[in-house]
Amino acid sequence: MHSQQTPEAIEKHLAGTALTALIVATVLHGMIHGYSIFLSPLNEQMRRFFAADTITAITAMKTTYLVVYAMGNLFFGALTNRLSARHTLAAGMVVNGLAVAAFSRVQPDGIAHMHLLWTLAALGGSVYHPIANVLITRLYPNRKGMVLGVTGMGAAVGFAFAPLLTSFLSGVLQLTWQPIALSFGSAGVLVGVLAWFFVPKIARSHGGHEATAVETPQPTLGGSATPPVSIVVLSVVIGVACLREMTMWSVLDISDFFLTAVLTDSTRTGLFLFLLYLPGIFVKPVVGVLSDRIGRRRLTSSTMLLYGVATAAVAVAGPAGLAPLYLLMGLGQAATVPLIEAIVADSTTEQNRGMVFGAFVTIITGCGALGPLLSGIALDALGGTVQAFRLWMVVLGALPILGGFILGALRFPARVD
């Protein structure tokens, strides 16, 4: 007979299980967001491949992706307590990877097929936030800022290194966008399969109550749980996040066109997008931990203002000033992500958190989806000149600046504020 495990052994096992879940969620987060950006350095190449006359024809693909991604988050958020995190996260990653790999089979007259494949990719990726965020905040109930910062670090790695790898594959190895898509898609399928083996088995809810098979005790910072945020305040915070998302996705998708016009060297776009997302690797876990200790409002307001000012400053920067500004943009934008997500997590109970996160991501991603579309339309209308891009950067920078001032005027519960 096997001797009964000691409390210390059980606690060690539970802690290891929680850590495994956190690591897997971080890797999946990186892959999913890497898919949303890896082709952005090749937008101009894709426009020529499809013989498209407008910038909008290419940026509209990202809008399709984001709209479907947004709706998928709401759907899976509603089902969070009824789905296996292990099966859902693994299957979503496999579907995402297969759709991206299928980009390699699209013909020059098949731009409509790209929209269909982006739709499938978005459905696969949309399982992540409601499922994974509920999983990790449940395992670390009093360290929500910290664990969301860690998984956010994974997203930053995906955002930063995916375009850099694309630039290497296209610039050094001379691969075009379709073989690159096949490579990225195949890697995602492999990660999805591996995730199935490593995501821990955790019981789903029954009758609306969580049957927690894994629960890791965590020390409570400040000695008590964070008081809930009111619905009105939460709605305003979500609105502020929408402003950030519109700017973020717009800058992401117009940068290749903008930098090609300013620098006359489209091969450098991957480097600039790398700089844009590099700070998130370091800043997300740091601000997450800080917010657990000192509150979230001031940090979020300050970083929104930094993001907006840096974005607007691109309008007056010369070629030499673009790299440091992209770094500052990335620093400000990345810091807001775990901060706002932690506020959302504070606003609800564990039982309802999946639905709330699903609605949150649906709303902000839906707003973000408007960014590339409106940016493409505006830039085409303004002639697509360097001056048009500079003017639009001022408009985009004004959005997070407005959000920063709004957050600064809000009043949260003491632990959040």
Side-chain angles (χ1 to χ4, degrees):
M1 295 180 61
H2 295 286
S3 60
Q4 188 174 16
Q5 285 186 306
T6 64
E8 292 78 10
I10 294 173
E11 183 175 346
K12 183 177 180 180
H13 169 72
L14 296 178
T17 301
L19 180 60
T20 300
L22 181 60
I23 293 171
V24 173
T26 302
V27 173
L28 289 173
H29 206 186
M31 289 296 301
I32 288 166
H33 286 302
Y35 280 151
S36 70
I37 189 176
F38 84 103
L39 284 179
S40 294
L42 303 179
N43 273 350
E44 177 60 24
Q45 182 187 123
M46 291 174 64
R47 189 182 68 82
R48 294 195 300 268
F49 176 86
F50 290 112
D53 296 328
T54 64
I55 293 172
T56 309
I58 302 303
T59 60
M61 294 182 197
K62 190 61 59 64
T63 296
T64 294
Y65 173 81
L66 292 174
V67 167
V68 177
Y69 183 85
M71 293 188 296
N73 270 269
L74 185 62
F75 175 76
F76 287 107
L79 296 177
T80 296
N81 292 332
R82 296 178 174 83
L83 296 173
S84 161
R86 181 189 192 192
H87 295 156
T88 308
L89 290 173
M93 189 73 258
V94 170
V95 169
N96 204 342
L98 288 173
V100 170
F103 290 173
S104 62
R105 307 301 300 172
V106 175
Q107 300 301 309
D109 61 350
I111 197 166
H113 297 157
M114 285 294 292
H115 283 272
L116 291 175
L117 291 173
W118 272 119
T119 296
L120 185 61
L123 287 173
S126 66
V127 309
Y128 176 82
H129 277 282
I131 302 293
N133 282 3
V134 169
L135 176 67
I136 62 171
T137 56
R138 178 173 144 210
L139 294 173
Y140 294 88
N142 299 307
R143 296 182 180 178
K144 292 190 284 289
M146 182 273 288
V147 294
L148 289 169
V150 171
T151 58
M153 181 174 62
V157 170
F159 275 131
F161 284 93
L164 190 67
L165 179 57
T166 294
S167 291
F168 171 79
L169 294 173
S170 62
V172 178
L173 300 185
Q174 297 296 303
L175 296 180
T176 59
W177 70 274
Q178 287 187 302
I180 291 173
L182 179 60
S183 300
F184 272 84
S186 300
V189 172
L190 176 60
V191 168
V193 172
L194 292 176
W196 188 85
F197 289 99
F198 289 101
V199 174
K201 295 181 180 179
I202 297 179
R204 303 187 295 277
S205 66
H206 299 281
H209 299 285
E210 199 70 18
T212 307
V214 176
E215 182 62 38
T216 304
Q218 301 293 338
T220 300
L221 300 173
S224 63
T226 304
V229 176
S230 73
I231 295 298
V232 174
V233 172
L234 177 61
S235 298
V236 175
V237 171
I238 292 174
V240 168
C242 286
L243 298 177
R244 178 199 67 198
E245 293 292 296
M246 290 184 70
T247 297
M248 184 188 80
W249 291 106
S250 294
V251 170
L252 172 62
D253 251 26
I254 69 174
S255 283
D256 189 40
F257 302 110
F258 169 60
L259 294 170
T260 299
V262 172
L263 304 175
T264 64
D265 181 6
S266 63
T267 63
R268 296 171 66 180
T269 301
L271 174 61
F272 276 87
L273 295 181
F274 170 74
L275 295 175
L276 182 63
Y277 289 100
L278 177 65
I281 299 173
F282 311 101
V283 74
K284 285 185 177 183
V286 171
V287 298
V289 171
L290 280 176
S291 74
D292 284 337
R293 295 181 180 275
I294 67 174
R296 315 198 200 280
R297 178 180 64 89
R298 296 177 185 87
L299 281 173
T300 312
S301 177
S302 300
T303 52
M304 285 288 288
L305 290 171
L306 172 63
Y307 181 37
V309 170
T311 303
V314 169
V316 296
L322 290 175
L325 283 175
Y326 265 69
L327 272 171
L328 283 175
M329 288 162 60
L331 177 64
Q333 185 273 329
T336 69
V337 175
L339 295 175
I340 292 179
E341 288 189 357
I343 293 172
V344 173
D346 288 333
S347 72
T348 185
T349 64
E350 178 183 315
Q351 177 185 339
N352 296 327
R353 195 168 293 149
M355 186 62 199
V356 171
F357 265 119
F360 166 70
V361 176
T362 294
I363 294 169
I364 68 169
T365 308
C367 291
L370 296 174
L373 180 62
L374 294 177
S375 293
I377 292 172
L379 291 168
D380 284 333
L382 293 170
T385 63
V386 172
Q387 290 74 21
F389 280 104
R390 293 188 184 279
L391 173 62
W392 197 246
M393 283 294 188
V394 174
V395 174
L396 294 177
L399 299 181
I401 289 174
L402 174 62
F405 282 121
I406 292 173
L407 277 176
L410 288 179
R411 289 296 175 265
F412 294 156
R415 279 286 316 286
V416 183
D417 192 59

